[in-house]
Amino acid sequence: MDLTTLSAFEIADKVKAGEVSAEHVFAQFLANTQKINPRLNAFISIHEQGLEIAKKIDQRRQRGETLGRLAGVPVSLKDMFCTKGIPTTAGSNALKNYVPPYSSTVTERLAREDAVLIGKTNQDEFAMGSSGENSAFGVCKNPWNEDFVPGGSSGGAAVSVAAKMSPLAFGTDTGGSIRQPASFCGVVGVKPTYGRVSRHGIIAFASSLDQAGPFSRTVLDSALALEVVSGLCEKDSTTSETEVPVWSKHITTDIRNLRVGKPRQFWDSDLSADVRKSCETAELQLKDAGAKIVDVDLPLVEKSVSIYYLVATAEASSNLARYDGVRFGYRDDFSKEPPADLEDFYSRNRAAMFGGEVKRRILVGTYALSSGYYEAYYKKACQVRRLLTEGFQKAFQTCDVLLGPVTTQPAFKIGAKIRDPLQMYLNDVFTISANLAGLPALSVPTGLSAEGLPLGVQLMAPQFMEQSMFNAAQVIESASKFSRNINGLR
Ligand code: GLN
């Protein structure tokens, strides 16, 4: 039996019931990964030791112990999540030899519920990018067509699920890095409310925007996975005390009276014909299920990309200061030419360890924070961010969820945008605002483009209201019949 077509939910059920062994499940996903990964480069490291962990889970079941909610479910983690004793690179040369002495809260909570790590996935360096091309470990490829990017920065995570190398993955989303690759690869991807999931042990990019979240083939799996990792964490003071609902139990396609808002600014944008059609189809599906469609305004949303590239770069320039070759990071080879002074030592180390995009962000962020510019750039961006957030609050007085595109077009060709940073940044026009406002948002597949590439739509909800977003996504998933068994691999 091909166990790699099962959802995480089904795997956990069958393992708990003793119908399949965790070892057998893991062995099949591992075999798939070893076969497919050399073509797609979705993993930076593969965790074969997971097989032993899976065996222990089976032994515990045989002894009559109660297993966790993700019993025997293989899970991949973006290489941003610290894994004790297992290399964690953030896709950067700076951390190519880094083996963390501790695990992130997400890593621990998944293990506590008996999920089994299958590997660490490829990503844009320090999560900066929208295509998976900025990795120090090589470009990751889209399984639906290997000439195309998988999206980014959590490209490897999306590919690991789309190509059935794991039923579940976790990534991070600072401006769209879960939702955009999810839509490019035809899987579900969820960015939760800021403060739902602990950032402890996740390599920091922009701390006021970073959130971790799941990728899966079904909405139900993402809901279940998010339940497992969400909630207060004493090691991250920005986590919320708000109760974590059991979303997966309460998912319903009965969305009568749900008010679905169509942000004018999103729908009036220049969208490719495929993307527009997929949004319109999703709108009809929600309407057919009883939802009420309303037009809403999101003033200032067109400023999102500008705000983001000041706030995110400012925070990144500060977070990445620790990679100096002393406390963290790579030390250059000084054997031929010793450093002239301390500044020379730092600057040579930092020049050697970061790729071009990361350097660009550090420069922009440092500039935006420097005296004389701080008020004009960083502070102004924070003020407009506040107004944007208030705009969302106002929009949510007339609707319960927002529906719109994830990106203006489906996946693009490898190399198409890498030389034009602005074009690359514009990939995130529709996703960034949810990060700026701290809102939950997800991408759910709707079908394929004329070229045979996956399409998705985005749903957003007010803070801590993930349930209505999951329900609407479930309606779209059920109506779209985008089979979770379709395998993008040719
Ligand atoms: N693509 C955006 C960037 O390059 C968002 C990345 C992310 O969400 N980590 O910053």
Side-chain angles (χ1 to χ4, degrees), residues 150-415:
S153 64
S154 315
V159 173
S160 77
V161 174
K164 299 205 176 74
M165 298 188 275
S166 63
L168 193 64
F170 269 81
T172 60
D173 188 314
T174 305
S177 278
I178 291 177
R179 289 159 286 159
Q180 188 252 23
S183 85
F184 281 10
C185 293
V187 298
V188 177
V190 183
K191 182 204 94 74
T193 307
Y194 185 82
R196 264 291 184 214
V197 179
S198 171
R199 289 178 295 107
H200 170 68
I202 301 175
I203 304 214
F205 165 9
S207 305
S208 78
L209 303 161
D210 296 342
Q211 265 296 286
F215 290 84
S216 59
R217 288 200 302 276
T218 67
V219 173
L220 195 63
D221 278 359
S222 275
L224 171 68
L226 190 58
E227 280 154 35
V228 162
V229 300
S230 289
L232 195 64
C233 167
E234 61 174 20
K235 291 176 180 144
D236 174 0
S237 62
T238 65
T239 52
S240 169
E241 289 179 7
T242 312
E243 198 198 327
V244 179
V246 189
W247 297 297
S248 63
K249 260 214 183 99
H250 297 114
I251 283 187
T252 171
T253 50
D254 181 359
I255 55 160
R256 275 171 298 172
N257 302 324
L258 185 80
R259 296 167 307 166
V260 177
K262 288 170 64 184
R264 222 183 307 271
Q265 287 78 357
F266 285 6
W267 287 71
D268 288 351
S269 298
D270 196 11
L271 305 175
S272 78
D274 284 325
V275 168
R276 183 165 298 282
K277 179 124 186 297
S278 118
C279 289
E280 285 166 359
T281 307
E283 177 189 347
L284 273 182
Q285 291 165 340
L286 295 174
K287 210 168 153 192
D288 284 349
K292 197 167 150 255
I293 312 289
V294 293
D295 284 320
V296 297
D297 251 320
L298 285 180
L300 294 173
V301 80
E302 70 279 5
K303 302 272 186 265
S304 299
V305 175
S306 313
I307 305 170
Y308 175 85
Y309 278 95
L310 287 165
V311 174
T313 55
E315 293 183 18
S317 75
S318 148
N319 274 328
L320 270 58
R322 74 191 67 171
Y323 304 101
D324 54 11
V326 179
R327 290 169 299 172
F328 285 99
Y330 172 88
R331 195 167 295 187
D332 200 16
D333 179 9
F334 292 104
S335 59
K336 286 201 190 79
E337 196 196 335
D341 51 24
L342 194 58
E343 198 174 321
D344 185 43
F345 170 78
Y346 286 145
S347 90
R348 276 168 61 189
N349 285 340
R350 285 167 69 80
M353 68 177 111
F354 296 128
E357 184 57 31
V358 175
K359 284 179 186 158
R360 181 172 11 250
R361 307 269 180 125
I362 293 173
L363 287 173
V364 173
T366 306
Y367 185 82
L369 286 177
S370 54
S371 114
Y373 298 105
Y374 173 87
E375 304 265 327
Y377 294 118
Y378 180 71
K379 193 166 164 214
K380 185 61 95 194
C382 292
Q383 289 166 333
V384 187
R385 177 180 185 182
R386 172 89 220 163
L387 294 175
L388 172 81
T389 307
E390 286 169 7
F392 270 107
Q393 283 158 359
K394 200 152 164 248
F396 281 125
Q397 284 170 4
T398 60
C399 66
D400 306 302
V401 294
L402 295 171
L403 171 72
V406 186
T407 52
T408 55
Q409 34 160 228
F412 48 91
K413 279 218 163 117
I414 292 173

Side-chain angles (χ1 to χ4, degrees), residues 44 89-93 122-140 149-153 155 309 353-361 414-415 417-421 424-425:
I44 291 177
T89 66
S92 179
N93 269 328
N122 201 357
Q123 57 162 99
D124 290 296
E125 184 175 8
F126 285 105
M128 297 175 187
S130 309
S131 67
E133 293 166 290
N134 290 341
S135 167
F137 298 87
V139 177
C140 179
V149 303
S153 64
Y309 278 95
M353 68 177 111
F354 296 128
E357 184 57 31
V358 175
K359 284 179 186 158
R360 181 172 11 250
R361 307 269 180 125
I414 292 173
K417 300 191 180 186
I418 196 73
R419 269 174 207 87
D420 188 345
M424 193 64 96
Y425 296 172

